[in-house]
Amino acid sequence: MANNTLTITDNRTGKSYEIPIEHDTIHATDLRKIKVHDGDFGMMTYDPAFMNTASCKSTITYIDGDKGILRYRGYPIEDLAESCTYLEVAHLLFREELPTQIQLDEWTKQVQHHSLIHQNIVNIIDSFRYDAHPMTILISTISALASFFPEANNIFDAEVRKRQIRRLIGKVPTIAAFAYRHRTGMPYVYPEDDLSFVGNIASMMFKWGSRKFFSHPVLERALNILFVLHADHEQNCSTSTMRVIGSSHVDPYSAIAGAAAALFGPLHGGANEAVIHMLDQIHDIKNVPDFIKRVKAGEGRLMGFGHRVYKNYDPRAKVIKKLAYEVFEVTGRNPKLEIALELERIALEDEYFVSRKLYPNVDFYSGLIYQAMGFPVDMFPVLFAIPRTSGWLAHWQEMLVDPDQKIARPRQIYLGHDKRTFIPMENRK
Ligand code: CMC
């Protein structure tokens, strides 16, 4: 018998089956041959929330959740955060290699070329209410882009695909910044090509009047690091959404709108916003023990803590915590930091959190930095969506050229009624 197989005995029938193992994994469809009788559908696996199901093979991002390791294309996240610009990392995600200077200059030019948005897209942003959450503007406006670029439906043309990728990396920051300016009633600031990717975003958001806007180098570096850390995170909820929607062969704008909607939820990218609301609610360091008590009693969650994959300190949170101190040197300390540090201190010693392996995740300290930089709290998920756009698109592209992939279509276990006799309206009780 081959070593790389799994032998399963079905005690209902006494029959044994040999299932091949590849990459420590069995194909769920191999279980279908396990049947009680010929007409039987065959065995399925039940895995709500995909707790233990690999839905694809990928070469983009590696995570070891027990050891707290994160790598993009093999490079440790700490090295990329320290030394790379966000656009270098986006290039790495799409094209598998870090760019040479010539490649980076070309890639930057291509992205900048696509940073302007059509006036009718601006009109869509204008039509939102003054207090619309900027994430709702972003989601709707990205979806509307599909109508401006019908060629994007041609998803199996590699050149067309590349053009949509450049468009989205270029346009999403502009839409995000315009959403912010709309909310504040400020005139829109158009992209400037002589600024860095993150410097341009800061300019589009914060420029006041006609003078050129230069962001502080420490803050610009910090925003770049945050973007690098948020660029990808393998099969998370929004990236899986991107893959699922993309698997229907719809255009990438519609798929990204769906991915961004998944990111908006408080258990995912909306957690950075929820952390600040939680810290505001705790209000004072003396209220921390009582808050922890309530979390342990099941009355709400400690936002910014816990992760499906990390059962150790999230490596992104480690970098962000250190970064917070560098930012506060420039902006002054965010007064909520003391509450956050006390929450972390208690949680890391408390049996409830220790036994469940709950550690700070990427969202625990990032909001404190964004707030100190002057971003309003409801922009935080948008600041997550801008860099994650490259991760979503890298996975979309990988999924489309993967011969194993098909339209995503899970099974269910039907537990409803058996066939019933129809009841006309007059006989219903
Ligand atoms: N506070 C209190 N208890 C928690 C928390 C938390 N933040 N997270 C998990 N638990 C408990 C949970 O109640 C459960 O306890 P029990 O076994 O007694 O029922 C146990 O830990 C396992 O939790 P789970 O809900 O089964 O874990 P999950 O893998 O389904 O959820 C999570 C992962 C991130 C949704 C969850 O940890 C959470 O809700 N965290 C807070 C929201 C948050 O910070 N989200 C950002 C995630 S990182 C950014 C990103 O990539 O999206």
Side-chain angles (χ1 to χ4, degrees), residues 16-34:
S16 280
Y17 302 84
E18 204 181 327
I19 311 276
I21 299 174
E22 190 192 9
H23 309 298
D24 289 334
T25 307
I26 58 164
H27 278 249
T29 45
D30 283 341
L31 299 178
R32 289 278 294 280
K33 59 186 174 199
I34 304 178

Side-chain angles (χ1 to χ4, degrees), residues 354-369:
V354 173
S355 64
R356 289 170 178 76
K357 300 189 175 163
L358 302 172
Y359 292 88
N361 60 46
V362 69
D363 293 313
F364 193 62
Y365 288 108
S366 59
L368 292 175
I369 300 184

Side-chain angles (χ1 to χ4, degrees), residues 115-240:
S115 60
L116 285 170
I117 51 177
H118 193 287
Q119 186 54 38
N120 288 357
I121 287 284
V122 179
N123 296 343
I124 293 174
I125 296 173
D126 277 340
S127 67
F128 278 84
R129 247 175 68 147
Y130 70 97
D131 58 353
H133 195 294
M135 200 62 183
T136 63
I137 300 181
L138 185 78
I139 293 165
S140 319
T141 312
I142 291 176
S143 149
L145 282 179
S147 67
F148 287 78
F149 305 111
E151 66 156 3
N153 289 309
N154 211 353
I155 54 167
F156 289 110
D157 181 324
E159 278 312 310
V160 170
R161 254 195 335 257
K162 279 188 203 159
R163 200 153 47 242
Q164 313 320 310
I165 287 173
R166 297 195 288 261
R167 277 198 177 118
L168 274 154
I169 303 292
K171 290 187 197 312
V172 165
T174 310
I175 294 170
F178 280 28
Y180 168 66
R181 302 287 289 202
H182 172 69
R183 189 176 161 286
T184 50
M186 301 270 287
Y188 300 125
V189 175
Y190 283 82
E192 291 183 45
D193 287 355
D194 56 341
L195 298 174
S196 71
F197 186 78
V198 291
N200 180 48
I201 293 173
S203 164
M204 289 192 291
M205 288 194 188
F206 297 128
K207 187 172 171 180
W208 187 272
S210 58
R211 258 181 304 145
K212 197 161 180 64
F213 179 89
F214 291 105
S215 51
H216 191 290
V218 171
L219 304 188
E220 189 168 324
R221 179 176 169 274
L223 192 56
N224 180 68
I225 290 177
L226 286 165
F227 276 18
V228 168
L229 297 176
H230 284 85
D232 191 42
H233 211 234
E234 52 118 304
Q235 310 310 319
N236 56 84
C237 177
S238 56
T239 303
S240 300

Side-chain angles (χ1 to χ4, degrees), residues 233 266-269 271 295 301-308 316 352-353 356 358 361-363 384:
H233 211 234
L267 297 189
H268 192 6
V295 168
R301 291 202 157 190
L302 178 49
M303 300 310 286
F305 258 69
H307 200 275
R308 171 65 58 76
R316 302 168 298 175
Y352 175 94
F353 296 91
R356 289 170 178 76
L358 302 172
N361 60 46
V362 69
D363 293 313
F384 194 150

Side-chain angles (χ1 to χ4, degrees), residues 90-104:
H91 184 285
L92 173 70
L93 295 176
F94 293 125
R95 303 192 190 162
E96 299 186 28
E97 297 298 340
L98 287 165
T100 62
Q101 190 61 53
I102 294 170
Q103 287 169 327
L104 180 62

